[in-house]
Amino acid sequence: MLREEGLIYTVQGEGTFVAAPDSAPREPRKLPMYRKIAEDIVQEIRSGDLQPRRPVPSETALVQRYEVARETVRRAIGRLRDQGWVYTVPQRGTFVSAEDKWPED
Amino acid sequence: MLREEGLIYTVQGEGTFVAAPDSAPREPRKLPMYRKIAEDIVQEIRSGDLQPRRPVPSETALVQRYEVARETVRRAIGRLRDQGWVYTVPQRGTFVSAEDKWPED
DNA sequence: GGGGATTTGTACGTATGTATC
DNA sequence: TGATACATACGTACAAATCCC
C-alpha cells in the first residue's frame, strides 16, 4: 500500500519511479517502439529531412513504415506534440513546429 | 496542404485547431468519455473524496465503474498526469498529487 | 522463498465518427 | 462524391514489477 512514500520521485517526460536507495543507474531498458519512432522523427527534423510547417508522415504511412499498430504511432506523435516538436491539426495532419518551439534538450 | 497556416492556434491541454474566421463559438461538442472520467476524478480530488498521496481507483476498477475499455481509462489518467493532478508509480498505482502540484485553473 | 493476485506498460487489430481535400 | 486523416473507443494479449499471504 505504498509504504515508502518518501522514496518516490518523478522524471519529467519519463514517469514516476521509486528511488533506489543507492540510486543505482538502471541499465538502459529496451526502447519501446513508440519511443523509437518518436526519436527517429526527431532525428529527421533535426537533420532537416522534415522541415518546419511541412507535414510529418501520416499515421497510416508510419503504420506501414514501421509495421506497427496505429495506436503505437499515435503514442509516438502524442509524445512529440507534448515536447513541442510538432503540432496537429485535426483532420488535416501533423506538422513540424517552427524551430523556436523545439525543445532545447 | 495547409494553405491557411496563419489561422492555426493551439489551446493548451486541448489540442491544435484552425481558427474560425469569425471565431464563431463552437457549440459545446459532446464530451468524450475519457474527458468525462478525468473531470469526474478532478471533482473527487477537489471535494476531498480522493486525498493527496492516496491511490486513485485502479484502471480495472475504473473500467468496471464506467464500463469502458481500458484504453479509455488510461487516456483519462494520462490527462490527469499531464495536468499534475496525479502521479503514477509503475506496477503500483496512480496517486493523488500533493495539493501544491494541482493546476490553478 | 514461493506463488498467486494486482497493477501498470506495451502492443495489436478493429470499428466508427467527423472534418478536410 | 470519394479518398484521406485524425479522434475516439472497444476488446484482447502478454510483460514486468509489486504486493500479500
Side-chain angles (χ1 to χ4, degrees):
Chain A
M1 199 70 80
L2 189 63
R3 284 174 297 193
E4 304 91 15
E5 290 174 334
L7 294 179
I8 292 168
Y9 69 99
T10 295
V11 178
Q12 186 66 1
E14 280 281 352
T16 306
F17 305 94
V18 176
D22 306 342
S23 10
R26 283 194 308 283
E27 73 254 41
R29 63 191 181 298
K30 187 169 45 87
L31 196 64
M33 269 308 294
Y34 78 94
R35 290 215 191 171
K36 166 162 178 49
I37 295 171
E39 291 187 4
D40 282 358
I41 293 175
V42 167
Q43 271 299 333
E44 296 182 65
I45 293 173
R46 281 210 165 103
S47 73
D49 288 347
L50 293 176
Q51 300 230 327
R53 297 195 170 278
R54 299 300 305 163
V56 168
S58 74
E59 294 181 357
T60 303
L62 292 172
V63 162
Q64 294 170 348
R65 176 189 299 179
Y66 287 96
E67 296 183 298
V68 296
R70 199 165 149 235
E71 184 192 309
T72 304
V73 167
R74 286 180 63 75
R75 212 176 298 174
I77 298 295
R79 187 176 175 80
L80 296 175
R81 188 163 43 230
D82 289 344
Q83 297 175 336
W85 288 106
V86 303
Y87 60 94
T88 297
V89 181
Q91 279 69 52
R92 288 233 231 159
T94 296
F95 305 86
V96 177
S97 299
E99 187 162 355
D100 63 294
K101 305 284 180 44
W102 299 355
E104 305 111 22
D105 189 6
Chain B
M1 200 67 84
L2 189 64
R3 284 174 298 193
E4 305 90 15
E5 290 176 333
L7 295 180
I8 292 168
Y9 69 100
T10 295
V11 178
Q12 187 66 2
E14 281 281 352
T16 306
F17 305 94
V18 177
D22 306 343
S23 358
R26 285 193 308 281
E27 73 253 44
R29 63 192 182 298
K30 187 169 40 86
L31 194 66
M33 269 307 293
Y34 78 93
R35 290 213 192 171
K36 166 162 177 49
I37 295 171
E39 291 186 4
D40 282 358
I41 293 175
V42 167
Q43 271 299 335
E44 296 183 65
I45 293 173
R46 281 209 165 103
S47 73
D49 288 347
L50 294 176
Q51 300 230 326
R53 298 195 169 279
R54 299 301 304 166
V56 168
S58 75
E59 295 179 357
T60 302
L62 292 172
V63 161
Q64 292 170 347
R65 175 188 301 181
Y66 286 95
E67 295 183 297
V68 296
R70 196 172 151 223
E71 183 191 310
T72 304
V73 166
R74 285 181 64 77
R75 211 177 298 176
I77 298 294
R79 186 177 175 78
L80 296 175
R81 187 163 46 230
D82 289 346
Q83 296 175 337
W85 287 106
V86 303
Y87 60 93
T88 297
V89 182
Q91 279 71 52
R92 285 232 233 162
T94 296
F95 305 85
V96 178
S97 299
E99 187 161 356
D100 63 294
K101 305 284 183 44
W102 298 357
E104 307 110 23
D105 190 3

